[in-house]
Amino acid sequence: MTSLAGKSVLLIVGGGIAAYKAHELVRLLKTRGATVRIILTKAAEQFVTPLSLSSLSGEKVYTSLFSLTDEIEMGHIQLSRSADLVVVAPATADLMAKMAHGLADDLASTALLATDKRVLAAPAMNVRMWSHAATERNVESLKHDGVSIVGPNEGEMACGEFGPGRMAEPNQILTAIVEMLKPRAQPLAGKKVLITAGPTREPIDPVRFISNHSSGKQGYAIAKAAAGLGAETVLVSGPVSLPIPPGVQVMPVETAQEMLDICEGEIPVDIAIFTAAVADWRVVTESSEKLKKTGGAAPNLTLAENPDILATIARSAKRPRIVVGFAAETEHVTEHAVQKLEKKGCDLIVANDVSRTSGVFGGDRNTVHLVSVSGVEDWPNMSKDEVAQKLMERLAQMLVPQQKAVE
Ligand code: C5P
């Protein structure tokens, strides 16, 4: 039985019939030695009482954002940050919608917005509410924001319907909590990882540019995984609309030349991963004025090839110990990747199919093939986060072979 002594959990109880299971969850957490602070939403107070929960937790139960005595004892910001983990159980449809949209109109939602800790949500709602498109969107947003979800289970519901929507049982939630509170292996502590991501923008005139459809999602996921394994992580990013992953230093750039300059300034590094979809060409002379239609001939744009950032860094005197390239191909994916490995001087190519039907551009999933001198390894279709985690664990093992990447 893993002890949770010294760990502190902030349990946020939403207003649903499953709130009664919070008692058992608190009891289990206390048995393991955890400190449990509890926030009840207004609706939750209809199902459970602060008195019963504080008797079990041995702590004061918090209910109101505007209670002066609560704020004096422990401000809502401190309440959300003093915990090692925030658990929302039951996470009702309403509470999840608030979390997904960043609403903060009561103590529970304010604490959830103010926390800098990992969050685990145990959804509980009617089966139709769970399968509603709005809830599906909210769950996707929450996962995207890094919230972990446990359950819901399938079964008979309090309302008499049957299907998924029952809150995970307290012991299932406890298992997820123990997993999340496990000390994480940091095989890349003391190492520096450089990642490029997103598209580049090559200006034509003050309002137009050449670019591409890269969303930056795979590169951002890799940066998040690298930081999670303890690396000092620098992400040189073209224009994307993605949140900055925790613990990652983002250097925003526009053009390929700017991306190269920043990368050259960041080496030496231990690992460099080039996921950016760098524009192949730039316009030789950017017009300082907006180009105007003349009613006649279209302007002639003279293009020049951009520097190859990956090849430049891979061949520099300060070459990183491991250089990884990406190969976005629409046909003969692995054959082209094998050629690229040689041509660009990298140790590993992550090849993926970006043909229109693959859904890779902008999507959340990826099917990749790892190409190195020792051969080709086909990975199954996975989320971009899973690809990132697996890739970083592999690179960590290559860099520090004696260490096991993840325990
Ligand atoms: O040659 P191609 O664009 O297919 O190569 C893809 C790989 O090279 C990716 O890892 C990409 O980030 C990198 N690259 C680069 N600079 C360029 C072009 C590609 O770093 N100018």
Side-chain angles (χ1 to χ4, degrees):
M1 189 165 107
T2 314
S3 165
L4 294 177
K7 298 289 178 195
S8 165
V9 172
L10 175 65
L11 173 63
I12 296 181
V13 182
I17 186 70
Y20 77 91
K21 292 189 192 170
H23 294 117
E24 176 64 2
L25 180 58
V26 173
R27 199 190 62 75
L28 290 172
L29 285 166
K30 291 298 290 179
T31 313
R32 299 287 181 115
T35 301
V36 190
R37 296 209 169 85
I38 302 168
I39 294 178
L40 290 186
T41 64
K42 258 233 133 358
E45 284 186 75
Q46 304 294 318
F47 295 91
V48 287
T49 66
L51 184 61
S52 61
L53 285 164
S54 71
S55 310
L56 283 166
S57 66
E59 298 274 340
K60 182 178 162 55
V61 170
Y62 299 82
T63 52
S64 168
L65 183 57
F66 302 108
S67 157
L68 274 182
T69 46
D70 285 1
E71 279 294 308
I72 288 162
E73 276 173 41
M74 182 178 292
H76 61 275
I77 303 281
Q78 203 198 334
L79 189 57
S80 72
R81 301 209 181 140
S82 60
D84 297 297
L85 182 72
V86 180
V87 178
V88 190
T92 59
D94 177 65
L95 196 45
M96 287 174 72
K98 279 173 143 180
M99 288 166 74
H101 291 87
L103 295 185
D105 64 350
D106 61 4
L107 182 58
S109 52
T110 307
L112 282 161
L113 198 60
T115 191
D116 57 355
K117 297 302 182 325
R118 298 177 76 198
V119 178
L120 172 70
M125 65 196 75
N126 166 274
V127 56
R128 283 184 200 280
M129 290 165 83
W130 174 250
S131 56
H132 194 284
T135 305
E136 282 183 355
R137 274 198 304 276
N138 292 336
V139 171
E140 271 318 300
S141 300
L142 291 174
K143 284 186 183 165
H144 182 265
D145 293 346
V147 173
S148 300
I149 310 276
V150 54
N153 294 341
E154 199 162 297
E156 192 167 345
M157 324 214 61
C159 54
E161 286 184 77
F162 190 90
R166 279 175 66 90
M167 186 171 88
E169 293 305 320
N171 55 15
Q172 258 181 291
I173 302 175
L174 178 73
T175 306
I177 292 172
V178 168
E179 189 56 40
M180 288 177 79
L181 287 176
K182 250 192 205 161
R184 292 176 157 200
Q186 299 243 298
L188 292 177
K191 307 289 179 203
K192 183 171 175 183
V193 176
L194 173 70
I195 298 151
T196 68
T200 65
R201 270 184 192 170
E202 310 299 333
I204 296 171
D205 67 15
V207 296
R208 302 183 180 93
F209 52 79
I210 300 173
S211 192
N212 57 64
H213 289 301
S214 170
S215 67
K217 282 183 181 174
Q218 187 62 80
Y220 272 61
I222 290 171
K224 184 171 126 195
L229 294 183
E232 175 192 347
T233 308
V234 177
L235 176 61
V236 189
S237 173
V240 295
S241 47
L242 292 173
I244 297 177
V248 173
Q249 189 193 351
V250 175
M251 313 278 266
V253 297
E254 294 242 327
T255 66
Q257 188 59 52
E258 284 167 12
M259 191 172 265
L260 176 60
D261 293 344
I262 300 275
C263 288
E264 286 186 317
E266 288 297 329
I267 53 174
V269 297
D270 296 282
I271 302 175
I273 307 163
F274 298 88
T275 73
V278 182
D280 289 319
W281 302 281
R282 68 179 181 281
V283 178
V284 173
T285 321
E286 178 191 348
S287 169
S288 56
E289 304 294 337
K290 184 182 168 195
L291 295 175
K292 295 259 186 304
K293 278 187 284 190
T294 53
N300 269 327
L301 299 177
T302 310
L303 301 180
E305 202 165 306
N306 266 330
D308 191 311
I309 302 165
L310 163 53
T312 310
I313 300 292
R315 302 223 155 84
S316 91
K318 294 192 264 177
R319 186 189 196 276
R321 298 249 315 269
I322 301 175
V323 175
V324 181
F326 267 66
E329 303 286 353
T330 52
E331 50 177 14
H332 306 299
V333 178
T334 44
E335 289 91 314
H336 288 166
V338 172
Q339 292 161 12
K340 205 158 282 180
L341 190 67
E342 172 78 7
K343 199 174 107 199
K344 303 235 182 188
C346 42
D347 303 292
L348 201 67
I349 287 273
V350 181
N352 54 355
D353 180 355
V354 293
S355 54
R356 268 176 193 280
T357 48
S358 71
V360 168
F361 264 137
D364 290 318
R365 300 190 71 79
N366 210 349
T367 308
V368 304
H369 315 273
L370 241 59
V371 182
S372 68
V373 281
S374 36
V376 178
E377 204 179 300
D378 300 318
W379 283 5
N381 180 264
M382 285 185 274
S383 72
K384 287 183 177 174
D385 277 334
E386 287 165 333
V387 170
Q389 188 64 28
K390 206 167 143 143
L391 178 66
M392 282 317 306
E393 284 170 11
R394 173 67 63 87
L395 297 176
Q397 268 172 324
M398 282 166 68
L399 194 70
V400 199
Q402 69 279 18
Q403 221 168 316
K404 220 167 138 245
V406 161
E407 276 151 13

